Amino acid sequence: QVQLVESGGGLVQPGGSLRLSCAASGSIRTIYAMAWYSQAPGKQRELVAAIPTGGSTNYADSVKGRFTISRDYAKNTVYLQMNGLKPEDTAVYYCNADLRDLMYARRNYWGQGTQVTVSS
């Protein structure tokens, strides 16, 4: 019905950069917000950045000034530009979309996750 496909993760040295992408497709009527979450092993999944439709961006304090979230509304795609990466950024990053589908159901969808590893 609806799927979110992520890409862009990988292994990078401290101070390096990555750009994550997430494209939503399928039976979508309208998207209310898209966001990125991270989850390290044994830890709770937590919000990294969010970008509501028609609203302002939100960032976790730990990434403010280093990460930038953006959207291509025509392509139903959200990006996360990650600069100045630190070892503590190492986690699986998940895309999330808050949307209404063509059957008028309001749901949250998750991407499959993409691994980001910051290590020298």
Side-chain angles (χ1 to χ4, degrees):
Q1 181 76 312
V2 175
Q3 65 176 356
L4 275 58
V5 179
E6 302 174 341
S7 62
L11 174 64
V12 65
Q13 293 184 337
S17 297
L18 287 172
R19 184 176 175 86
L20 307 184
S21 299
C22 172
S25 63
S27 302
I28 299 168
R29 178 171 294 277
T30 188
I31 297 175
Y32 296 102
M34 300 187 79
W36 290 96
Y37 289 74
S38 66
Q39 187 167 26
K43 295 190 65 178
Q44 181 177 316
R45 189 173 298 187
E46 60 186 23
L47 179 68
V48 176
I51 182 166
T53 300
S56 59
T57 56
N58 307 110
Y59 296 95
D61 288 342
S62 61
V63 308
K64 198 169 296 182
R66 298 188 297 122
F67 293 6
T68 303
I69 189 170
S70 61
R71 282 173 64 177
D72 184 331
Y73 290 90
K75 295 181 180 293
N76 288 337
T77 298
V78 64
Y79 305 94
L80 186 67
Q81 179 66 46
M82 309 167 72
N83 297 327
L85 283 161
K86 304 175 180 179
E88 50 263 46
D89 297 320
T90 296
V92 178
Y93 284 73
Y94 295 92
C95 178
N96 175 270
D98 171 17
L99 60 84
R100 192 178 299 279
D101 66 22
L102 295 181
M103 301 298 291
Y104 303 101
R106 179 80 174 265
R107 305 181 193 274
N108 278 284
Y109 288 86
W110 292 94
Q112 80 281 2
T114 184
Q115 177 70 48
V116 172
T117 302
V118 185
S119 177
S120 60

